[in-house]
Amino acid sequence: MPFVRITLSADRPEPVRDAIADGVHNAMISSIGIPKGDRFQVVDAKPGTALHFDPEYLDVDRRDPVLVEITLVRGRSQDLKRALYQAVAANLAAAGVRPEDVMVILHETSREDWSFGNGEMQMFDEPLLRKYGWRPPGE
Protein backbone atom coordinates (compact mmCIF):
# COMPACT_ATOMS: atom_id res chain seq x y z
CA MET A 1 0.00 0.00 0.00
CA PRO A 2 2.65 2.59 -0.84
CA PHE A 3 1.85 6.27 -0.91
CA VAL A 4 3.90 8.26 -3.42
CA ARG A 5 4.61 11.97 -3.60
CA ILE A 6 6.41 13.15 -6.72
CA THR A 7 7.81 16.67 -6.58
CA LEU A 8 8.99 18.23 -9.81
CA SER A 9 9.18 21.46 -11.75
CA ALA A 10 5.91 22.91 -13.02
CA ASP A 11 7.78 23.47 -16.29
CA ARG A 12 7.31 19.79 -17.10
CA PRO A 13 4.17 19.43 -19.25
CA GLU A 14 1.13 17.52 -17.94
CA PRO A 15 1.63 14.53 -20.27
CA VAL A 16 5.21 14.17 -18.99
CA ARG A 17 4.01 14.43 -15.38
CA ASP A 18 1.49 11.68 -16.09
CA ALA A 19 4.19 9.52 -17.68
CA ILE A 20 6.40 10.05 -14.64
CA ALA A 21 3.59 9.03 -12.27
CA ASP A 22 2.87 5.95 -14.43
CA GLY A 23 6.58 5.10 -14.51
CA VAL A 24 6.89 5.20 -10.73
CA HIS A 25 3.79 3.07 -10.27
CA ASN A 26 4.90 0.50 -12.84
CA ALA A 27 8.35 0.35 -11.21
CA MET A 28 6.73 -0.54 -7.88
CA ILE A 29 4.66 -3.27 -9.56
CA SER A 30 7.65 -4.82 -11.33
CA SER A 31 10.26 -4.50 -8.59
CA ILE A 32 8.52 -4.84 -5.23
CA GLY A 33 5.33 -6.59 -6.35
CA ILE A 34 2.60 -4.18 -5.36
CA PRO A 35 -0.82 -4.90 -6.91
CA LYS A 36 -1.66 -2.92 -10.06
CA GLY A 37 -4.69 -1.28 -8.42
CA ASP A 38 -2.71 -0.14 -5.37
CA ARG A 39 -2.12 3.40 -6.60
CA PHE A 40 -2.02 6.39 -4.26
CA GLN A 41 0.02 9.26 -5.67
CA VAL A 42 0.32 13.02 -5.47
CA VAL A 43 2.21 14.86 -8.18
CA ASP A 44 3.35 18.16 -6.74
CA ALA A 45 4.42 20.57 -9.48
CA LYS A 46 6.38 23.49 -8.06
CA PRO A 47 7.87 26.59 -9.66
CA GLY A 48 11.45 25.84 -10.62
CA THR A 49 12.63 28.46 -8.14
CA ALA A 50 11.12 26.40 -5.29
CA LEU A 51 13.38 23.39 -5.90
CA HIS A 52 16.81 23.65 -4.30
CA PHE A 53 18.86 20.54 -5.07
CA ASP A 54 22.64 20.63 -5.03
CA PRO A 55 23.65 20.13 -8.67
CA GLU A 56 26.69 17.93 -7.87
CA TYR A 57 26.22 16.30 -4.45
CA LEU A 58 27.67 12.74 -4.35
CA ASP A 59 29.02 13.20 -7.90
CA VAL A 60 25.61 13.28 -9.59
CA ASP A 61 25.02 15.90 -12.32
CA ARG A 62 21.52 17.19 -11.41
CA ARG A 63 19.80 19.65 -13.76
CA ASP A 64 16.02 19.29 -13.47
CA PRO A 65 15.37 17.07 -10.44
CA VAL A 66 12.38 14.85 -9.86
CA LEU A 67 11.95 13.81 -6.23
CA VAL A 68 10.06 10.56 -5.64
CA GLU A 69 9.09 9.91 -2.03
CA ILE A 70 7.57 6.51 -1.34
CA THR A 71 5.99 5.73 2.01
CA LEU A 72 5.49 2.01 2.49
CA VAL A 73 5.34 -0.70 5.11
CA ARG A 74 8.82 -1.81 6.15
CA GLY A 75 10.09 -5.24 5.29
CA ARG A 76 11.70 -5.10 1.83
CA SER A 77 15.26 -6.27 1.44
CA GLN A 78 18.15 -4.10 0.29
CA ASP A 79 18.10 -5.96 -3.05
CA LEU A 80 14.40 -5.18 -3.60
CA LYS A 81 14.99 -1.53 -2.76
CA ARG A 82 17.91 -1.36 -5.20
CA ALA A 83 15.73 -2.96 -7.88
CA LEU A 84 13.02 -0.36 -7.15
CA TYR A 85 15.47 2.54 -7.51
CA GLN A 86 16.76 1.14 -10.79
CA ALA A 87 13.26 0.51 -12.16
CA VAL A 88 12.12 4.02 -11.24
CA ALA A 89 15.16 5.58 -12.94
CA ALA A 90 14.71 3.41 -16.06
CA ASN A 91 10.97 4.08 -16.32
CA LEU A 92 11.43 7.82 -15.84
CA ALA A 93 14.18 7.83 -18.47
CA ALA A 94 11.58 6.40 -20.87
CA ALA A 95 9.37 9.38 -19.92
CA GLY A 96 12.17 11.81 -20.81
CA VAL A 97 13.77 12.33 -17.39
CA ARG A 98 17.53 12.00 -17.13
CA PRO A 99 18.42 9.22 -14.62
CA GLU A 100 20.77 11.70 -12.92
CA ASP A 101 17.74 13.86 -12.13
CA VAL A 102 15.79 11.09 -10.35
CA MET A 103 16.03 11.09 -6.56
CA VAL A 104 14.13 8.44 -4.58
CA ILE A 105 13.55 8.44 -0.83
CA LEU A 106 11.78 5.61 0.97
CA HIS A 107 9.89 6.28 4.20
CA GLU A 108 9.20 3.00 5.97
CA THR A 109 6.36 2.63 8.43
CA SER A 110 4.60 -0.09 10.40
CA ARG A 111 1.24 -1.55 9.44
CA GLU A 112 -0.47 0.26 12.32
CA ASP A 113 0.55 3.60 10.80
CA TRP A 114 -2.05 3.39 8.01
CA SER A 115 -5.78 4.03 7.72
CA PHE A 116 -7.38 3.98 4.28
CA GLY A 117 -10.68 5.45 5.43
CA ASN A 118 -13.49 5.14 7.96
CA GLY A 119 -11.02 5.48 10.83
CA GLU A 120 -10.10 1.79 10.48
CA MET A 121 -6.78 -0.07 10.49
CA GLN A 122 -7.28 -2.04 7.27
CA MET A 123 -3.64 -3.16 7.22
CA PHE A 124 -4.50 -5.74 9.90
CA ASP A 125 -7.43 -7.24 7.94
CA GLU A 126 -5.44 -9.82 5.96
CA PRO A 127 -8.46 -11.33 4.11
CA LEU A 128 -9.37 -7.82 2.91
CA LEU A 129 -5.77 -7.09 1.93
CA ARG A 130 -5.44 -10.36 0.01
CA LYS A 131 -8.68 -9.58 -1.81
CA TYR A 132 -6.84 -6.61 -3.33
CA GLY A 133 -3.69 -8.58 -4.17
CA TRP A 134 -1.57 -7.78 -1.12
CA ARG A 135 1.07 -10.24 -0.03
CA PRO A 136 3.33 -9.85 2.99
CA PRO A 137 6.85 -8.70 2.03
CA GLY A 138 8.93 -11.75 1.20
CA GLU A 139 5.95 -14.00 0.36
Side-chain angles (χ1 to χ4, degrees):
M1 289 14 138
F3 171 76
V4 176
R5 179 177 302 277
I6 301 166
T7 306
L8 44 69
S9 170
D11 294 337
R12 292 190 187 269
E14 277 296 322
V16 173
R17 293 182 212 170
D18 291 342
I20 290 169
D22 291 344
V24 170
H25 186 67
N26 290 330
M28 291 190 305
I29 292 169
S30 67
S31 64
I32 62 172
I34 70 162
K36 184 178 180 179
D38 185 2
R39 187 169 183 169
F40 299 90
Q41 297 179 317
V42 173
V43 177
D44 195 6
K46 301 278 190 188
T49 57
L51 302 175
H52 301 274
F53 289 72
D54 188 288
E56 306 174 335
Y57 185 69
L58 297 178
D59 296 332
V60 178
D61 175 30
R62 279 173 215 84
R63 298 180 191 164
D64 190 7
V66 173
L67 173 61
V68 179
E69 296 178 85
I70 303 172
T71 304
L72 69 170
V73 173
R74 89 178 26 88
R76 273 103 182 159
S77 69
Q78 186 177 17
D79 289 339
L80 282 177
K81 292 174 185 180
R82 182 176 288 111
L84 172 61
Y85 302 149
Q86 292 170 348
V88 168
N91 288 1
L92 271 55
V97 179
R98 297 170 59 249
E100 298 90 342
D101 290 332
V102 178
M103 183 173 174
V104 180
I105 300 173
L106 297 183
H107 304 282
E108 294 185 299
T109 65
S110 298
R111 290 170 64 185
E112 62 266 13
D113 296 325
W114 296 79
S115 173
F116 287 86
N118 297 324
E120 298 176 11
M121 293 177 78
Q122 292 91 341
M123 293 295 290
F124 285 96
D125 186 341
E126 290 202 15
L128 176 64
L129 293 171
R130 288 183 183 276
K131 174 182 171 183
Y132 287 93
W134 177 84
R135 299 287 178 264
E139 181 179 295

